[in-house]
Amino acid sequence: MKSANSLMAGLGTTVFEVMSTLAREHQSVNLGQGFPDDKGPVEVRRAAADYLMEGHNQYPPMMGIPELRQAVAEHAKRFQGLDIDWQREVLITSGATEALGDCLFGLIEPGDEVVLIEPLYDSYLPIVRRAGGIPKLVRLEPPTWRLPREELAAAFSDRTKLILFNTPMNPCSKVFDREELQFIADLCLKHRAYAVCDEVYEHVIFDDRRHLSIMTLPGMRDRTARIGSAGKSFSVTGWKVGYVTASPDLLKTIAKTHQFMTFTTPPNLQWGTAAGLRLDDRYFSTLASDMQRKRDRLAHALADIGFDVLPAHGTYFVTTDFRPLGFNGTDEDFCRHITVEAGVTAVPVSAFYDDPGKAPRHFARFCFCKHDQTLDAAINRLGNHFRK
Ligand code: PMP
Ligand code: GLN
């Protein structure tokens, strides 16, 4: 037999699947993979259920149903002040994961350089490489995760096709501020590069911060592909409905990838997402404040148990240093240990690095987008285990 593609064959199984499987095996409280306990807004689920029952179950238009593309454009106007032409600048995809793949396969030419920021979401590097891109990695250092400007500038060159980054940022919960985004934008303009910005946590942002899209900065309107996800904005991660906003020239090619990757996305879920994007401002501010309260509940309790808890400005996650507990193994050992011995699962942060061997090995990521009872059960179990 001839061998399969070596790059894909050489990949391990994603850390989220590995840890969720282990959590199920040990009936642990799963604070690893990021998915909310909450069912999501009833309006969103009702719209999807009604459209399914009324028989809207055939192929929708390739770009997405007009109602959802209009809702994406309206939402961009409402929250970012962007004027988006829904007919030529919005594409609906099967999750942000597909959107990322469509952008990377659509934009990268083999040999192009792609700037990425570590720690990074685990789907980025394999797809960049499979598309023929040459990754140029810049690392943020804990606990501040500030942007290392000189290193970032040095990572850009005339061969840079694009920068791919994520704000609010999974796993380290950093939110890029205006100055940092401006610095990135200036580099994109200087090197005629694109920005692919993964903004799936745009509404999960804390302490009165406001999400700012790099697309709004001068000169970036036509150089940015901005990606969102219904999963994160409406607590329905299983839906896998994503959206890409980009200028017509960029989107044309991104859509060519989409047409042969999935072609479309389930129509009833698109209707549900359109209903969600049209919810009033209060829905979005309550989502953020509820998550912030959960962050505080978990972060304070973990600190009480003895973890060193890093600041979390957005996303579903809090990063913790477990060394003060006296645990001397790696982050993988730790996450396995607490799953098996304490009945709580977290995700090792080294999984978000190109080479886990050269990554920090003392951070575990805990997810707090859970009911209070779930968080409290995890806290009790960890407390009992480490206070023994
Ligand atoms: N980007 C980031 C940073 C994520 O955390 C996730 C996880 N859901 C995704 C993309 C993928 O989103 P989706 O489930 O819509 O594919
Ligand atoms: N985004 C989720 C996380 O970071 C997981 C998504 C997935 O399982 N692919 O936990």
Side-chain angles (χ1 to χ4, degrees), residues 16 32-34 121 170 201 232 317 352 365:
F16 308 118
Q33 189 179 33
Y121 186 60
N170 179 9
Y201 297 102
K232 305 292 142 82
F317 311 109
F352 297 83
R365 189 198 78 172

Side-chain angles (χ1 to χ4, degrees), residues 152-168:
L152 188 70
F156 272 78
S157 76
D158 289 343
R159 293 180 299 280
T160 306
K161 177 59 81 60
L162 60 92
I163 178 168
L164 165 57
F165 72 105
N166 172 218
T167 182

Side-chain angles (χ1 to χ4, degrees), residues 95-97 100 121 124 166 170 198 200-201 229 232 237 240-241:
T97 310
L100 285 159
Y121 186 60
Y124 295 178
N166 172 218
N170 179 9
D198 177 347
V200 300
Y201 297 102
S229 167
K232 305 292 142 82
T237 59
K240 305 295 289 186
V241 177

Side-chain angles (χ1 to χ4, degrees), residues 235-253:
S235 305
V236 286
T237 59
W239 277 23
K240 305 295 289 186
V241 177
Y243 18 97
V244 187
T245 310
S247 65
D249 270 357
L250 271 185
L251 196 70
K252 222 184 296 169
T253 315

